Amino acid sequence: DASAHLTAQARQLSSFIVLIGKIASADTFEPKYGMIVQNKDDFRVPLKLDTIPTPKEFKDAIESLSPEQQEFCKAWRAMQLESTLFAVCVVQIKPLLERVLNLPPESLSKEIKLTQDLTELFIKYQIPADLLSAARTEARPSTDGSQVVAPNPADQVAEVKANVEAMSSLIAAEEQKQLHDAAQTAAFEGLHTDSSS
């Protein structure tokens, strides 16, 4: 019994999204499930494969049924056939991060820590991209009007880094406050329990 598996492995400091779904039309992929694979993640998912009868086998199998039963079987087969084109799509995360953060392509390629911090803020804390992104600046004419000046990629990356640092500081301060509040609550409950006994 040969079985099929979907396997995904990420190298250290790399990440991507694996989407599984079906091919709905010649140019449409309909994702059903997805997961992020990052930092040496390794997973293997068994795939259950069923063989669908050929058109002739199907016709032979239903010819002795009543017309109503045949219609039902044909509708069932149509549903089976519409979802038989299983598809896997792998999406690289860095290009998507660059796009959503208003950064030029390849600007995060050497920014490993920044990329990891961004991924954590997006996934763990659900921080909206607009709080971390660089200001959208389009190419504009120079002050004397003689040339077009494009935004400086290094400045854009520095702006995203500053936004990430500010958000990380805010989160760290909030976590400290929650720990302090929990410690005070525990101390108060301990005092309350001691005084009542």
Side-chain angles (χ1 to χ4, degrees):
D1 177 37
S3 60
H5 290 83
L6 173 63
T7 303
Q9 297 174 321
R11 294 184 182 144
Q12 187 168 359
L13 306 176
S14 70
S15 57
F16 54 91
I17 301 169
V18 176
L19 299 170
I20 58 173
K22 65 179 182 176
I23 303 294
S25 66
D27 59 355
T28 306
F29 169 69
E30 288 183 1
K32 294 283 186 188
Y33 305 100
M35 71 177 293
I36 295 175
V37 183
Q38 62 183 350
N39 295 330
K40 293 189 172 184
D41 283 348
D42 184 2
F43 78 93
R44 181 179 167 115
V45 178
L47 300 176
K48 182 180 175 194
L49 306 175
D50 294 324
T51 305
I52 295 176
T54 65
K56 183 178 179 345
E57 291 171 337
F58 178 75
K59 184 179 178 184
D60 291 345
I62 67 166
E63 70 182 350
S64 63
L65 300 175
S66 71
E68 293 83 16
Q69 290 172 330
Q70 285 184 12
E71 287 303 313
F72 177 81
C73 290
K74 287 176 185 176
W76 180 265
R77 180 175 171 84
M79 285 177 23
Q80 282 182 316
L81 289 174
E82 92 179 8
S83 64
T84 59
L85 294 176
F86 173 77
V88 177
C89 179
V90 177
V91 181
Q92 295 298 320
I93 291 179
K94 276 187 188 178
L96 295 177
L97 284 175
E98 290 165 347
R99 187 175 218 174
V100 78
L101 295 170
N102 301 326
L103 295 173
E106 302 295 324
S107 58
L108 290 177
S109 59
K110 294 185 180 180
E111 300 289 343
I112 296 168
K113 177 156 180 14
L114 178 60
T115 302
Q116 288 181 319
D117 291 345
L118 285 163
T119 303
E120 180 181 25
L121 289 172
F122 285 134
I123 296 170
K124 184 175 179 182
Y125 298 105
Q126 302 289 306
I127 303 297
D130 59 339
L131 295 178
L132 303 172
S133 63
R136 184 175 290 277
T137 53
E138 304 298 327
R140 63 190 189 297
S142 63
T143 53
D144 64 2
S146 62
Q147 61 185 359
V148 174
V149 178
N152 182 346
D155 291 343
Q156 290 176 297
V157 171
E159 183 180 353
V160 169
K161 276 184 184 178
N163 292 343
V164 167
E165 288 171 8
M167 189 58 62
S168 296
S169 296
L170 182 70
I171 290 169
E174 184 60 31
E175 288 175 342
Q176 279 301 114
K177 182 182 178 300
Q178 288 175 359
L179 287 173
H180 181 263
D181 290 350
Q184 280 187 327
T185 301
F188 177 75
E189 288 174 358
L191 287 175
H192 183 68
T193 305
D194 291 342
S195 64
S196 63
S197 48

